[in-house]
Amino acid sequence: MINLEQLVRPNIWSLAPYSSARNEYAGREARVFLDANENPYNAPYNRYPDPLQLELKATLEKVKGVPADCIFLGNGSDEAIDLPYRIFCEPGVDNVVAIEPTYGMYKVCADINNVAYRPVLLDETFQTTAEKLLAACDAHTKIIWICSPNNPSGNTINRAEVEKVIRGFEGIVIVDEAYSDFCHEQTFRSQLKEFPNLIVLNTMSKAWGCAAIRLGMAFASKEIIDIFNKVKYPYNVNLLTQRQALEALKDPFEVDKWVRILLQERTRVIDAFRMLPICQEVFPTEANFFLARMDDAQKAYDYLVDEGIIVRNRSRIQLCQNCLRVTIGTKTENNTLIAALRQMP
Ligand SMILES: *Cc1c(COP(=O)(O)O)cnc(C)c1O
């Protein structure tokens, strides 16, 4: 069991949040709104949006299988990544542990918040163990970051080891499942009841095709989500985003269709890469991208840029020497990429 009061920074635990006009009347019927100094003209953009996004959360409850009061919505996952630092980590005192290599925002947010970041190198197959992650922790470790499927490697982190970390750690474990829609592994969202120290992240930016609207999600116990809501900006998700997300969530079958096509295409593009004489290895992936080790990644990258095709050069990242990270596009885009690489001089 965890003691949330001991984990949360004292100033946050005792914080009296900003109380907005819309917070105070919430729940009762009203006809005339003269409480928020809004302009009565220019509907619907004249009104402040719902600070707790209740309609959107009611829809997400059905789609994600998590109770609405266990969902936090933010301005991209970026906000859901930053808030745990501000909630749990005393700057200059506390630290976090993370797998390495992984998504870059965990370290950027640690640096911004002046929180020490302790990377734990994955092995050659991009796996880790609970023992290694827990050994990197001390009395000031508040958060362990696990990204699964991991970016940039694409593989899932061994589930039994992740469970051991969650059970064995007296702080917060955050599992970033940004790519879970592409993955056959069961999501950790369904185990929030079992693990009171678990936060799971999702995003509308990948499988849902809505990177432009900036909507990220955190799923956790109601106690943790209440603290997120206390610390966030009052109107952190704007009206246009809430509306567009509701629109997208109406059609989960469209997303299923996209995912099916992208997974088929992923197999096809990976097969083509494996046939390229300049490609040494493609690593196993459960996401909408893959990591490929090339003879000379910089050369292939520069050549593709000249051809107007942009992939991600991950060569300078640990364990990713000479690796390109390739996102799966449309059939036409993928064909363009493969044709170009086959013709590389
Ligand atoms: C792309 C990505 C996200 C999404 O971030 P948003 O701010 O929601 O767009 C989150 N986590 C990982 C690991 C990612 O690769």
Side-chain angles (χ1 to χ4, degrees), residues 68-106:
D69 57 4
C70 295
I71 303 175
F72 162 81
L73 298 180
N75 187 337
S77 304
D78 296 335
E79 185 178 3
I81 291 167
D82 185 53
L83 278 175
Y85 286 104
R86 297 168 62 200
I87 291 168
F88 297 108
C89 300
E90 202 58 48
V93 176
D94 290 328
N95 67 70
V96 305
V97 163
I99 58 170
E100 174 79 11
T102 193
Y103 187 46
M105 277 305 286
Y106 315 142

Side-chain angles (χ1 to χ4, degrees), residues 235-285:
Y235 305 105
N236 61 326
V237 180
N238 71 68
L239 177 76
L240 297 170
T241 295
Q242 292 189 45
R243 288 195 162 179
Q244 196 55 43
L246 277 167
E247 202 52 45
L249 287 162
K250 269 188 198 154
D251 203 356
F253 297 112
E254 183 71 8
V255 175
D256 289 346
K257 200 177 80 193
W258 291 336
V259 169
R260 265 200 313 278
I261 295 171
L262 290 171
L263 292 185
Q264 275 171 16
E265 279 294 292
R266 185 181 73 191
T267 305
R268 197 174 69 85
V269 180
I270 289 176
D271 287 348
F273 258 70
R274 290 193 168 129
M275 300 290 285
L276 291 170
I278 56 165
C279 175
Q280 295 179 359
E281 181 178 15
V282 177
F283 293 95
T285 178

Side-chain angles (χ1 to χ4, degrees), residues 43-332:
Y45 305 110
N46 59 332
R47 299 294 178 194
Y48 283 101
D50 177 1
L52 290 173
Q53 310 98 22
L54 295 178
E55 189 186 356
L56 186 47
K57 283 177 185 169
T59 305
L60 280 167
E61 172 170 310
K62 290 184 208 126
V63 174
K64 299 287 184 176
V66 174
D69 57 4
C70 295
I71 303 175
F72 162 81
L73 298 180
N75 187 337
S77 304
D78 296 335
E79 185 178 3
I81 291 167
D82 185 53
L83 278 175
Y85 286 104
R86 297 168 62 200
I87 291 168
F88 297 108
C89 300
E90 202 58 48
V93 176
D94 290 328
N95 67 70
V96 305
V97 163
I99 58 170
E100 174 79 11
T102 193
Y103 187 46
M105 277 305 286
Y106 315 142
K107 176 160 195 309
V108 171
C109 287
D111 291 345
I112 290 170
N113 287 287
N114 192 25
V115 170
Y117 186 83
R118 299 181 168 191
V120 176
L121 195 63
L122 296 170
D123 67 20
E124 296 288 315
T125 65
F126 296 107
Q127 281 300 340
T128 190
T129 62
E131 198 184 339
K132 279 194 218 172
L133 288 171
L134 294 172
C137 299
D138 67 12
H140 289 291
T141 306
K142 291 294 186 70
I143 297 170
I144 299 178
W145 290 97
I146 297 172
C147 183
S148 182
N150 188 32
N151 180 359
S153 52
N155 62 302
T156 52
I157 304 300
N158 186 317
R159 191 183 180 83
E161 295 300 318
V162 177
E163 282 199 26
K164 262 195 239 170
V165 173
I166 302 170
R167 283 184 216 282
F169 182 50
E170 291 185 0
I172 301 293
V173 178
I174 305 181
V175 181
D176 187 342
E177 294 189 334
Y179 299 97
S180 61
D181 297 282
F182 300 102
C183 165
H184 294 98
E185 183 97 64
Q186 188 200 336
T187 140
F188 273 98
R189 279 200 311 274
S190 55
Q191 277 168 285
L192 291 172
K193 277 234 169 64
E194 202 178 325
F195 301 128
N197 61 333
L198 172 64
I199 299 175
V200 178
L201 303 185
N202 271 195
T203 177
M204 293 293 281
S205 299
K206 305 290 157 65
W208 287 83
C210 289
I213 71 172
R214 311 308 301 132
L215 190 72
M217 290 156 243
F219 306 102
S221 70
K222 179 177 184 303
E223 289 69 27
I224 290 177
I225 295 301
D226 285 346
I227 303 172
F228 270 69
N229 286 334
K230 191 162 90 158
V231 175
K232 77 182 184 68
Y233 290 156
Y235 305 105
N236 61 326
V237 180
N238 71 68
L239 177 76
L240 297 170
T241 295
Q242 292 189 45
R243 288 195 162 179
Q244 196 55 43
L246 277 167
E247 202 52 45
L249 287 162
K250 269 188 198 154
D251 203 356
F253 297 112
E254 183 71 8
V255 175
D256 289 346
K257 200 177 80 193
W258 291 336
V259 169
R260 265 200 313 278
I261 295 171
L262 290 171
L263 292 185
Q264 275 171 16
E265 279 294 292
R266 185 181 73 191
T267 305
R268 197 174 69 85
V269 180
I270 289 176
D271 287 348
F273 258 70
R274 290 193 168 129
M275 300 290 285
L276 291 170
I278 56 165
C279 175
Q280 295 179 359
E281 181 178 15
V282 177
F283 293 95
T285 178
E286 302 241 26
N288 65 332
F289 62 85
F290 62 89
L291 193 68
R293 177 156 288 140
M294 313 300 281
D295 288 338
D296 186 340
Q298 187 66 48
K299 188 171 162 226
Y301 176 82
D302 291 339
Y303 164 77
L304 287 173
V305 170
D306 283 341
E307 296 291 312
I309 301 165
I310 314 300
V311 297
R312 197 86 194 263
N313 185 359
R314 300 278 72 185
S315 289
R316 279 170 290 276
I317 285 180
Q318 284 200 81
L319 299 177
C320 299
Q321 295 85 352
N322 271 320
C323 287
L324 298 179
R325 194 194 68 192
V326 180
T327 307
I328 303 301
T330 63
K331 270 195 175 71
T332 313

Side-chain angles (χ1 to χ4, degrees), residues 12-29:
I12 300 297
W13 189 262
S14 60
L15 176 72
Y18 174 72
S19 181
S20 71
R22 289 297 118 84
N23 271 345
E24 288 181 2
Y25 96 89
R28 278 163 286 146
E29 286 298 313

